[in-house]
Amino acid sequence: MFVTLEGVEGSGKSTQIERLCASLNAAGRPVTLTRQPGGCELGRTLRAILLSQKSSGLDDRAELFLYLADRAQHVAEVIRPALESGQVVVCDRYIDSTVAYQGYGRGLDVALLTRLNAVAVAGVLPDLTILLDLDAAAGLSRAMARNHAAGTAASEGRFEAEHLDFHTRVRRGYLALAAAHPQRFVVIDAAPVPELVARAVWQAVSARLGG
Ligand code: TMP
């Protein structure tokens, strides 16, 4: 089973993914926890480029192809083999991030992005996508506080530096994707305390786990 988590900056994905993996382990399910960008060696190099504020001059199309390159290599090297060996794969961001950020955020053509995503993933599609939905302004202030505390603003702050409008479009993009793929998406309100969000996430995942 392949589960992806999506959401705007500060929506609490990292916390929820950790909790979800702990619950899967407790249920005796072997898990591969991974992320995009940065779930394989090539991806870690690409992540450093993509998220650095030094890359502020990166062209929108160049940015797109770096995310797609990360995705193609990550699917081939990590996700497909893990699924084939019977693991539950939990991936922090996947195809929907490209549609939400490069499509709704940057303004690239969504239909084209959908086709390019299909090339990158070569048929490896999520069984379930959890969207942690949060008001963009609330998410941004959470993300800023986290980055400040961790001292990561300079190394991974490129998207947080985008204006609120950008993040509001990203959120709208996610909600449009969820409406277009109601079978695959479960939308969870990320505003409540983490315990409540975790309970909703586990409900969504365990309902689809099967034997
Ligand atoms: P995160 O892993 O800390 O959530 O950060 C990844 C950043 O990269 C986040 O701002 C969203 C962005 N992103 C895209 O713009 N397009 C993509 O396809 C992916 C996977 C991430």
Side-chain angles (χ1 to χ4, degrees), residues 47-83:
R47 183 180 176 94
I49 297 168
L50 280 162
L51 302 189
S52 168
Q53 287 188 351
K54 287 190 205 137
S55 305
S56 57
L58 196 59
D59 176 76
D60 290 353
R61 283 159 203 79
E63 176 188 81
L64 166 68
F65 282 105
L66 295 184
Y67 279 112
L68 292 169
D70 165 74
R71 183 156 305 135
Q73 187 66 28
H74 186 223
V75 165
E77 205 175 301
V78 177
I79 299 179
R80 189 190 294 279
L83 289 170

PDB file of all heavy atoms in Angstrom, residues 47-83:
ATOM      1  N   ARG A  47      17.425  18.356  -3.454  1.00  0.00           N
ATOM      2  CA  ARG A  47      16.708  19.065  -2.382  1.00  0.00           C
ATOM      3  C   ARG A  47      17.494  20.296  -1.908  1.00  0.00           C
ATOM      4  O   ARG A  47      16.930  21.370  -1.706  1.00  0.00           O
ATOM      5  CB  ARG A  47      16.460  18.116  -1.203  1.00  0.00           C
ATOM      6  CG  ARG A  47      15.647  18.774  -0.084  1.00  0.00           C
ATOM      7  CD  ARG A  47      15.392  17.847   1.092  1.00  0.00           C
ATOM      8  NE  ARG A  47      14.703  18.583   2.127  1.00  0.00           N
ATOM      9  CZ  ARG A  47      13.387  18.627   2.282  1.00  0.00           C
ATOM     10  NH1 ARG A  47      12.607  17.924   1.498  1.00  0.00           N
ATOM     11  NH2 ARG A  47      12.838  19.367   3.218  1.00  0.00           N
ATOM     12  N   ALA A  48      18.825  20.087  -1.759  1.00  0.00           N
ATOM     13  CA  ALA A  48      19.649  21.205  -1.278  1.00  0.00           C
ATOM     14  C   ALA A  48      19.575  22.373  -2.264  1.00  0.00           C
ATOM     15  O   ALA A  48      19.512  23.538  -1.859  1.00  0.00           O
ATOM     16  CB  ALA A  48      21.091  20.726  -1.093  1.00  0.00           C
ATOM     17  N   ILE A  49      19.543  22.058  -3.557  1.00  0.00           N
ATOM     18  CA  ILE A  49      19.451  23.121  -4.574  1.00  0.00           C
ATOM     19  C   ILE A  49      18.059  23.749  -4.550  1.00  0.00           C
ATOM     20  O   ILE A  49      17.891  24.966  -4.527  1.00  0.00           O
ATOM     21  CB  ILE A  49      19.728  22.543  -5.986  1.00  0.00           C
ATOM     22  CG1 ILE A  49      21.150  22.005  -6.069  1.00  0.00           C
ATOM     23  CG2 ILE A  49      19.441  23.590  -7.063  1.00  0.00           C
ATOM     24  CD1 ILE A  49      21.423  21.167  -7.309  1.00  0.00           C
ATOM     25  N   LEU A  50      17.033  22.892  -4.512  1.00  0.00           N
ATOM     26  CA  LEU A  50      15.652  23.378  -4.649  1.00  0.00           C
ATOM     27  C   LEU A  50      15.216  24.262  -3.490  1.00  0.00           C
ATOM     28  O   LEU A  50      14.437  25.190  -3.675  1.00  0.00           O
ATOM     29  CB  LEU A  50      14.699  22.178  -4.766  1.00  0.00           C
ATOM     30  CG  LEU A  50      14.653  21.553  -6.165  1.00  0.00           C
ATOM     31  CD1 LEU A  50      14.053  20.148  -6.118  1.00  0.00           C
ATOM     32  CD2 LEU A  50      13.847  22.439  -7.106  1.00  0.00           C
ATOM     33  N   LEU A  51      15.673  23.944  -2.288  1.00  0.00           N
ATOM     34  CA  LEU A  51      15.148  24.662  -1.125  1.00  0.00           C
ATOM     35  C   LEU A  51      16.062  25.776  -0.619  1.00  0.00           C
ATOM     36  O   LEU A  51      15.693  26.512   0.288  1.00  0.00           O
ATOM     37  CB  LEU A  51      14.835  23.671  -0.002  1.00  0.00           C
ATOM     38  CG  LEU A  51      13.839  22.563  -0.379  1.00  0.00           C
ATOM     39  CD1 LEU A  51      13.428  21.772   0.846  1.00  0.00           C
ATOM     40  CD2 LEU A  51      12.614  23.119  -1.080  1.00  0.00           C
ATOM     41  N   SER A  52      17.250  25.911  -1.246  1.00  0.00           N
ATOM     42  CA  SER A  52      18.152  26.954  -0.772  1.00  0.00           C
ATOM     43  C   SER A  52      17.704  28.330  -1.267  1.00  0.00           C
ATOM     44  O   SER A  52      17.319  28.490  -2.424  1.00  0.00           O
ATOM     45  CB  SER A  52      19.567  26.675  -1.290  1.00  0.00           C
ATOM     46  OG  SER A  52      20.356  27.811  -1.078  1.00  0.00           O
ATOM     47  N   GLN A  53      17.808  29.305  -0.400  1.00  0.00           N
ATOM     48  CA  GLN A  53      17.466  30.668  -0.823  1.00  0.00           C
ATOM     49  C   GLN A  53      18.467  31.185  -1.855  1.00  0.00           C
ATOM     50  O   GLN A  53      18.184  32.136  -2.567  1.00  0.00           O
ATOM     51  CB  GLN A  53      17.376  31.585   0.390  1.00  0.00           C
ATOM     52  CG  GLN A  53      16.109  31.286   1.184  1.00  0.00           C
ATOM     53  CD  GLN A  53      15.830  32.268   2.299  1.00  0.00           C
ATOM     54  OE1 GLN A  53      16.653  33.101   2.628  1.00  0.00           O
ATOM     55  NE2 GLN A  53      14.661  32.151   2.882  1.00  0.00           N
ATOM     56  N   LYS A  54      19.609  30.493  -1.966  1.00  0.00           N
ATOM     57  CA  LYS A  54      20.590  30.870  -2.993  1.00  0.00           C
ATOM     58  C   LYS A  54      20.052  30.581  -4.391  1.00  0.00           C
ATOM     59  O   LYS A  54      20.568  31.067  -5.378  1.00  0.00           O
ATOM     60  CB  LYS A  54      21.894  30.086  -2.792  1.00  0.00           C
ATOM     61  CG  LYS A  54      22.691  30.541  -1.607  1.00  0.00           C
ATOM     62  CD  LYS A  54      24.080  29.889  -1.629  1.00  0.00           C
ATOM     63  CE  LYS A  54      24.659  29.806  -0.238  1.00  0.00           C
ATOM     64  NZ  LYS A  54      25.297  28.512   0.042  1.00  0.00           N
ATOM     65  N   SER A  55      19.012  29.709  -4.474  1.00  0.00           N
ATOM     66  CA  SER A  55      18.445  29.362  -5.781  1.00  0.00           C
ATOM     67  C   SER A  55      17.288  30.279  -6.153  1.00  0.00           C
ATOM     68  O   SER A  55      16.433  29.900  -6.946  1.00  0.00           O
ATOM     69  CB  SER A  55      17.940  27.907  -5.777  1.00  0.00           C
ATOM     70  OG  SER A  55      18.951  27.024  -5.393  1.00  0.00           O
ATOM     71  N   SER A  56      17.276  31.492  -5.642  1.00  0.00           N
ATOM     72  CA  SER A  56      16.122  32.363  -5.886  1.00  0.00           C
ATOM     73  C   SER A  56      15.967  32.693  -7.375  1.00  0.00           C
ATOM     74  O   SER A  56      14.882  33.030  -7.825  1.00  0.00           O
ATOM     75  CB  SER A  56      16.227  33.641  -5.055  1.00  0.00           C
ATOM     76  OG  SER A  56      17.432  34.283  -5.368  1.00  0.00           O
ATOM     77  N   GLY A  57      17.065  32.573  -8.153  1.00  0.00           N
ATOM     78  CA  GLY A  57      16.963  32.871  -9.587  1.00  0.00           C
ATOM     79  C   GLY A  57      16.549  31.677 -10.427  1.00  0.00           C
ATOM     80  O   GLY A  57      16.510  31.767 -11.662  1.00  0.00           O
ATOM     81  N   LEU A  58      16.254  30.546  -9.785  1.00  0.00           N
ATOM     82  CA  LEU A  58      15.917  29.323 -10.537  1.00  0.00           C
ATOM     83  C   LEU A  58      14.662  29.566 -11.381  1.00  0.00           C
ATOM     84  O   LEU A  58      13.634  29.994 -10.864  1.00  0.00           O
ATOM     85  CB  LEU A  58      15.667  28.203  -9.521  1.00  0.00           C
ATOM     86  CG  LEU A  58      15.660  26.757  -9.993  1.00  0.00           C
ATOM     87  CD1 LEU A  58      16.995  26.373 -10.629  1.00  0.00           C
ATOM     88  CD2 LEU A  58      15.372  25.835  -8.804  1.00  0.00           C
ATOM     89  N   ASP A  59      14.758  29.257 -12.667  1.00  0.00           N
ATOM     90  CA  ASP A  59      13.611  29.393 -13.569  1.00  0.00           C
ATOM     91  C   ASP A  59      12.518  28.386 -13.177  1.00  0.00           C
ATOM     92  O   ASP A  59      12.823  27.271 -12.755  1.00  0.00           O
ATOM     93  CB  ASP A  59      14.105  29.114 -14.999  1.00  0.00           C
ATOM     94  CG  ASP A  59      12.979  29.143 -15.996  1.00  0.00           C
ATOM     95  OD1 ASP A  59      12.534  30.243 -16.344  1.00  0.00           O
ATOM     96  OD2 ASP A  59      12.510  28.055 -16.398  1.00  0.00           O
ATOM     97  N   ASP A  60      11.248  28.776 -13.339  1.00  0.00           N
ATOM     98  CA  ASP A  60      10.139  27.905 -12.936  1.00  0.00           C
ATOM     99  C   ASP A  60      10.202  26.534 -13.620  1.00  0.00           C
ATOM    100  O   ASP A  60       9.883  25.507 -13.027  1.00  0.00           O
ATOM    101  CB  ASP A  60       8.787  28.549 -13.275  1.00  0.00           C
ATOM    102  CG  ASP A  60       8.494  29.756 -12.396  1.00  0.00           C
ATOM    103  OD1 ASP A  60       9.265  30.017 -11.443  1.00  0.00           O
ATOM    104  OD2 ASP A  60       7.483  30.437 -12.671  1.00  0.00           O
ATOM    105  N   ARG A  61      10.614  26.534 -14.911  1.00  0.00           N
ATOM    106  CA  ARG A  61      10.662  25.251 -15.633  1.00  0.00           C
ATOM    107  C   ARG A  61      11.840  24.411 -15.180  1.00  0.00           C
ATOM    108  O   ARG A  61      11.750  23.193 -15.072  1.00  0.00           O
ATOM    109  CB  ARG A  61      10.723  25.493 -17.142  1.00  0.00           C
ATOM    110  CG  ARG A  61       9.389  25.882 -17.708  1.00  0.00           C
ATOM    111  CD  ARG A  61       9.507  26.601 -19.034  1.00  0.00           C
ATOM    112  NE  ARG A  61       8.306  27.401 -19.217  1.00  0.00           N
ATOM    113  CZ  ARG A  61       8.077  28.579 -18.632  1.00  0.00           C
ATOM    114  NH1 ARG A  61       8.990  29.127 -17.843  1.00  0.00           N
ATOM    115  NH2 ARG A  61       6.943  29.217 -18.827  1.00  0.00           N
ATOM    116  N   ALA A  62      12.958  25.077 -14.902  1.00  0.00           N
ATOM    117  CA  ALA A  62      14.123  24.340 -14.393  1.00  0.00           C
ATOM    118  C   ALA A  62      13.762  23.709 -13.046  1.00  0.00           C
ATOM    119  O   ALA A  62      14.064  22.541 -12.785  1.00  0.00           O
ATOM    120  CB  ALA A  62      15.308  25.283 -14.248  1.00  0.00           C
ATOM    121  N   GLU A  63      13.077  24.475 -12.215  1.00  0.00           N
ATOM    122  CA  GLU A  63      12.631  23.969 -10.907  1.00  0.00           C
ATOM    123  C   GLU A  63      11.754  22.731 -11.102  1.00  0.00           C
ATOM    124  O   GLU A  63      11.951  21.693 -10.458  1.00  0.00           O
ATOM    125  CB  GLU A  63      11.852  25.063 -10.180  1.00  0.00           C
ATOM    126  CG  GLU A  63      11.267  24.612  -8.853  1.00  0.00           C
ATOM    127  CD  GLU A  63      10.342  25.665  -8.261  1.00  0.00           C
ATOM    128  OE1 GLU A  63       9.163  25.735  -8.674  1.00  0.00           O
ATOM    129  OE2 GLU A  63      10.785  26.404  -7.376  1.00  0.00           O
ATOM    130  N   LEU A  64      10.799  22.845 -12.025  1.00  0.00           N
ATOM    131  CA  LEU A  64       9.886  21.722 -12.297  1.00  0.00           C
ATOM    132  C   LEU A  64      10.664  20.452 -12.647  1.00  0.00           C
ATOM    133  O   LEU A  64      10.399  19.382 -12.098  1.00  0.00           O
ATOM    134  CB  LEU A  64       8.954  22.106 -13.460  1.00  0.00           C
ATOM    135  CG  LEU A  64       8.182  20.958 -14.091  1.00  0.00           C
ATOM    136  CD1 LEU A  64       7.147  20.394 -13.113  1.00  0.00           C
ATOM    137  CD2 LEU A  64       7.493  21.426 -15.379  1.00  0.00           C
ATOM    138  N   PHE A  65      11.640  20.588 -13.558  1.00  0.00           N
ATOM    139  CA  PHE A  65      12.353  19.381 -14.003  1.00  0.00           C
ATOM    140  C   PHE A  65      13.227  18.799 -12.895  1.00  0.00           C
ATOM    141  O   PHE A  65      13.446  17.589 -12.870  1.00  0.00           O
ATOM    142  CB  PHE A  65      13.142  19.659 -15.284  1.00  0.00           C
ATOM    143  CG  PHE A  65      12.243  19.661 -16.497  1.00  0.00           C
ATOM    144  CD1 PHE A  65      11.877  20.836 -17.119  1.00  0.00           C
ATOM    145  CD2 PHE A  65      11.720  18.467 -16.981  1.00  0.00           C
ATOM    146  CE1 PHE A  65      11.012  20.843 -18.210  1.00  0.00           C
ATOM    147  CE2 PHE A  65      10.855  18.454 -18.070  1.00  0.00           C
ATOM    148  CZ  PHE A  65      10.497  19.644 -18.685  1.00  0.00           C
ATOM    149  N   LEU A  66      13.685  19.619 -11.989  1.00  0.00           N
ATOM    150  CA  LEU A  66      14.453  19.070 -10.860  1.00  0.00           C
ATOM    151  C   LEU A  66      13.536  18.241  -9.954  1.00  0.00           C
ATOM    152  O   LEU A  66      13.907  17.148  -9.503  1.00  0.00           O
ATOM    153  CB  LEU A  66      15.149  20.180 -10.068  1.00  0.00           C
ATOM    154  CG  LEU A  66      16.231  20.957 -10.831  1.00  0.00           C
ATOM    155  CD1 LEU A  66      16.911  21.972  -9.916  1.00  0.00           C
ATOM    156  CD2 LEU A  66      17.281  20.028 -11.433  1.00  0.00           C
ATOM    157  N   TYR A  67      12.311  18.743  -9.691  1.00  0.00           N
ATOM    158  CA  TYR A  67      11.369  17.941  -8.896  1.00  0.00           C
ATOM    159  C   TYR A  67      11.026  16.632  -9.611  1.00  0.00           C
ATOM    160  O   TYR A  67      10.919  15.573  -8.980  1.00  0.00           O
ATOM    161  CB  TYR A  67      10.081  18.726  -8.606  1.00  0.00           C
ATOM    162  CG  TYR A  67      10.230  19.692  -7.452  1.00  0.00           C
ATOM    163  CD1 TYR A  67      10.193  21.067  -7.664  1.00  0.00           C
ATOM    164  CD2 TYR A  67      10.433  19.242  -6.158  1.00  0.00           C
ATOM    165  CE1 TYR A  67      10.350  21.958  -6.613  1.00  0.00           C
ATOM    166  CE2 TYR A  67      10.586  20.129  -5.099  1.00  0.00           C
ATOM    167  CZ  TYR A  67      10.544  21.481  -5.336  1.00  0.00           C
ATOM    168  OH  TYR A  67      10.707  22.352  -4.284  1.00  0.00           O
ATOM    169  N   LEU A  68      10.861  16.721 -10.928  1.00  0.00           N
ATOM    170  CA  LEU A  68      10.500  15.505 -11.678  1.00  0.00           C
ATOM    171  C   LEU A  68      11.658  14.510 -11.708  1.00  0.00           C
ATOM    172  O   LEU A  68      11.448  13.295 -11.629  1.00  0.00           O
ATOM    173  CB  LEU A  68      10.067  15.878 -13.103  1.00  0.00           C
ATOM    174  CG  LEU A  68       8.752  16.663 -13.201  1.00  0.00           C
ATOM    175  CD1 LEU A  68       8.557  17.200 -14.614  1.00  0.00           C
ATOM    176  CD2 LEU A  68       7.549  15.798 -12.801  1.00  0.00           C
ATOM    177  N   ALA A  69      12.885  15.033 -11.808  1.00  0.00           N
ATOM    178  CA  ALA A  69      14.061  14.152 -11.803  1.00  0.00           C
ATOM    179  C   ALA A  69      14.171  13.437 -10.456  1.00  0.00           C
ATOM    180  O   ALA A  69      14.410  12.224 -10.383  1.00  0.00           O
ATOM    181  CB  ALA A  69      15.326  14.955 -12.086  1.00  0.00           C
ATOM    182  N   ASP A  70      13.965  14.191  -9.385  1.00  0.00           N
ATOM    183  CA  ASP A  70      13.955  13.598  -8.040  1.00  0.00           C
ATOM    184  C   ASP A  70      12.920  12.478  -7.983  1.00  0.00           C
ATOM    185  O   ASP A  70      13.180  11.376  -7.494  1.00  0.00           O
ATOM    186  CB  ASP A  70      13.621  14.683  -7.004  1.00  0.00           C
ATOM    187  CG  ASP A  70      13.247  14.091  -5.656  1.00  0.00           C
ATOM    188  OD1 ASP A  70      14.141  13.616  -4.940  1.00  0.00           O
ATOM    189  OD2 ASP A  70      12.044  14.087  -5.325  1.00  0.00           O
ATOM    190  N   ARG A  71      11.730  12.770  -8.510  1.00  0.00           N
ATOM    191  CA  ARG A  71      10.605  11.802  -8.419  1.00  0.00           C
ATOM    192  C   ARG A  71      10.908  10.528  -9.200  1.00  0.00           C
ATOM    193  O   ARG A  71      10.708   9.420  -8.701  1.00  0.00           O
ATOM    194  CB  ARG A  71       9.332  12.485  -8.948  1.00  0.00           C
ATOM    195  CG  ARG A  71       8.075  11.640  -8.843  1.00  0.00           C
ATOM    196  CD  ARG A  71       6.844  12.514  -8.819  1.00  0.00           C
ATOM    197  NE  ARG A  71       6.959  13.477  -7.750  1.00  0.00           N
ATOM    198  CZ  ARG A  71       6.674  14.791  -7.876  1.00  0.00           C
ATOM    199  NH1 ARG A  71       6.204  15.271  -8.997  1.00  0.00           N
ATOM    200  NH2 ARG A  71       6.850  15.596  -6.843  1.00  0.00           N
ATOM    201  N   ALA A  72      11.414  10.688 -10.421  1.00  0.00           N
ATOM    202  CA  ALA A  72      11.677   9.510 -11.268  1.00  0.00           C
ATOM    203  C   ALA A  72      12.713   8.598 -10.611  1.00  0.00           C
ATOM    204  O   ALA A  72      12.532   7.376 -10.532  1.00  0.00           O
ATOM    205  CB  ALA A  72      12.153   9.972 -12.640  1.00  0.00           C
ATOM    206  N   GLN A  73      13.792   9.200 -10.119  1.00  0.00           N
ATOM    207  CA  GLN A  73      14.857   8.392  -9.509  1.00  0.00           C
ATOM    208  C   GLN A  73      14.379   7.733  -8.213  1.00  0.00           C
ATOM    209  O   GLN A  73      14.679   6.575  -7.935  1.00  0.00           O
ATOM    210  CB  GLN A  73      16.073   9.297  -9.227  1.00  0.00           C
ATOM    211  CG  GLN A  73      17.292   8.536  -8.748  1.00  0.00           C
ATOM    212  CD  GLN A  73      17.857   7.611  -9.829  1.00  0.00           C
ATOM    213  OE1 GLN A  73      17.711   7.879 -11.016  1.00  0.00           O
ATOM    214  NE2 GLN A  73      18.469   6.515  -9.400  1.00  0.00           N
ATOM    215  N   HIS A  74      13.607   8.489  -7.451  1.00  0.00           N
ATOM    216  CA  HIS A  74      13.114   8.006  -6.156  1.00  0.00           C
ATOM    217  C   HIS A  74      12.143   6.842  -6.339  1.00  0.00           C
ATOM    218  O   HIS A  74      12.173   5.865  -5.584  1.00  0.00           O
ATOM    219  CB  HIS A  74      12.448   9.200  -5.455  1.00  0.00           C
ATOM    220  CG  HIS A  74      11.996   8.947  -4.068  1.00  0.00           C
ATOM    221  ND1 HIS A  74      10.794   9.383  -3.604  1.00  0.00           N
ATOM    222  CD2 HIS A  74      12.580   8.311  -3.024  1.00  0.00           C
ATOM    223  CE1 HIS A  74      10.656   9.022  -2.335  1.00  0.00           C
ATOM    224  NE2 HIS A  74      11.724   8.377  -1.963  1.00  0.00           N
ATOM    225  N   VAL A  75      11.283   6.948  -7.347  1.00  0.00           N
ATOM    226  CA  VAL A  75      10.350   5.842  -7.632  1.00  0.00           C
ATOM    227  C   VAL A  75      11.147   4.597  -8.014  1.00  0.00           C
ATOM    228  O   VAL A  75      10.901   3.500  -7.495  1.00  0.00           O
ATOM    229  CB  VAL A  75       9.350   6.228  -8.757  1.00  0.00           C
ATOM    230  CG1 VAL A  75       8.636   4.993  -9.299  1.00  0.00           C
ATOM    231  CG2 VAL A  75       8.337   7.242  -8.232  1.00  0.00           C
ATOM    232  N   ALA A  76      12.115   4.781  -8.921  1.00  0.00           N
ATOM    233  CA  ALA A  76      12.870   3.627  -9.424  1.00  0.00           C
ATOM    234  C   ALA A  76      13.709   2.981  -8.324  1.00  0.00           C
ATOM    235  O   ALA A  76      13.780   1.749  -8.223  1.00  0.00           O
ATOM    236  CB  ALA A  76      13.773   4.066 -10.581  1.00  0.00           C
ATOM    237  N   GLU A  77      14.311   3.830  -7.490  1.00  0.00           N
ATOM    238  CA  GLU A  77      15.308   3.324  -6.542  1.00  0.00           C
ATOM    239  C   GLU A  77      14.693   2.901  -5.208  1.00  0.00           C
ATOM    240  O   GLU A  77      15.175   1.973  -4.577  1.00  0.00           O
ATOM    241  CB  GLU A  77      16.295   4.475  -6.310  1.00  0.00           C
ATOM    242  CG  GLU A  77      17.668   4.062  -5.876  1.00  0.00           C
ATOM    243  CD  GLU A  77      18.556   5.298  -5.801  1.00  0.00           C
ATOM    244  OE1 GLU A  77      18.728   6.006  -6.826  1.00  0.00           O
ATOM    245  OE2 GLU A  77      19.080   5.570  -4.699  1.00  0.00           O
ATOM    246  N   VAL A  78      13.631   3.584  -4.776  1.00  0.00           N
ATOM    247  CA  VAL A  78      13.118   3.368  -3.413  1.00  0.00           C
ATOM    248  C   VAL A  78      11.661   2.880  -3.412  1.00  0.00           C
ATOM    249  O   VAL A  78      11.350   1.830  -2.833  1.00  0.00           O
ATOM    250  CB  VAL A  78      13.223   4.678  -2.579  1.00  0.00           C
ATOM    251  CG1 VAL A  78      12.623   4.495  -1.184  1.00  0.00           C
ATOM    252  CG2 VAL A  78      14.674   5.147  -2.493  1.00  0.00           C
ATOM    253  N   ILE A  79      10.762   3.628  -4.039  1.00  0.00           N
ATOM    254  CA  ILE A  79       9.335   3.362  -3.833  1.00  0.00           C
ATOM    255  C   ILE A  79       8.893   2.062  -4.502  1.00  0.00           C
ATOM    256  O   ILE A  79       8.280   1.203  -3.866  1.00  0.00           O
ATOM    257  CB  ILE A  79       8.470   4.549  -4.330  1.00  0.00           C
ATOM    258  CG1 ILE A  79       8.832   5.808  -3.530  1.00  0.00           C
ATOM    259  CG2 ILE A  79       6.983   4.229  -4.185  1.00  0.00           C
ATOM    260  CD1 ILE A  79       8.078   7.045  -3.941  1.00  0.00           C
ATOM    261  N   ARG A  80       9.216   1.898  -5.779  1.00  0.00           N
ATOM    262  CA  ARG A  80       8.759   0.678  -6.464  1.00  0.00           C
ATOM    263  C   ARG A  80       9.310  -0.591  -5.802  1.00  0.00           C
ATOM    264  O   ARG A  80       8.540  -1.511  -5.486  1.00  0.00           O
ATOM    265  CB  ARG A  80       9.097   0.723  -7.957  1.00  0.00           C
ATOM    266  CG  ARG A  80       8.447  -0.424  -8.746  1.00  0.00           C
ATOM    267  CD  ARG A  80       8.973  -0.520 -10.157  1.00  0.00           C
ATOM    268  NE  ARG A  80       8.649   0.606 -11.008  1.00  0.00           N
ATOM    269  CZ  ARG A  80       7.473   0.779 -11.626  1.00  0.00           C
ATOM    270  NH1 ARG A  80       6.513  -0.098 -11.472  1.00  0.00           N
ATOM    271  NH2 ARG A  80       7.275   1.820 -12.402  1.00  0.00           N
ATOM    272  N   PRO A  81      10.640  -0.645  -5.518  1.00  0.00           N
ATOM    273  CA  PRO A  81      11.155  -1.860  -4.861  1.00  0.00           C
ATOM    274  C   PRO A  81      10.496  -2.115  -3.500  1.00  0.00           C
ATOM    275  O   PRO A  81      10.201  -3.264  -3.152  1.00  0.00           O
ATOM    276  CB  PRO A  81      12.652  -1.581  -4.691  1.00  0.00           C
ATOM    277  CG  PRO A  81      12.981  -0.527  -5.687  1.00  0.00           C
ATOM    278  CD  PRO A  81      11.741   0.274  -5.905  1.00  0.00           C
ATOM    279  N   ALA A  82      10.244  -1.060  -2.733  1.00  0.00           N
ATOM    280  CA  ALA A  82       9.638  -1.254  -1.405  1.00  0.00           C
ATOM    281  C   ALA A  82       8.212  -1.790  -1.544  1.00  0.00           C
ATOM    282  O   ALA A  82       7.810  -2.709  -0.811  1.00  0.00           O
ATOM    283  CB  ALA A  82       9.640   0.057  -0.627  1.00  0.00           C
ATOM    284  N   LEU A  83       7.464  -1.259  -2.486  1.00  0.00           N
ATOM    285  CA  LEU A  83       6.085  -1.752  -2.689  1.00  0.00           C
ATOM    286  C   LEU A  83       6.124  -3.209  -3.155  1.00  0.00           C
ATOM    287  O   LEU A  83       5.334  -4.034  -2.695  1.00  0.00           O
ATOM    288  CB  LEU A  83       5.342  -0.887  -3.712  1.00  0.00           C
ATOM    289  CG  LEU A  83       4.976   0.529  -3.241  1.00  0.00           C
ATOM    290  CD1 LEU A  83       4.462   1.367  -4.409  1.00  0.00           C
ATOM    291  CD2 LEU A  83       3.938   0.473  -2.114  1.00  0.00           C
TER     292      LEU A  83
END
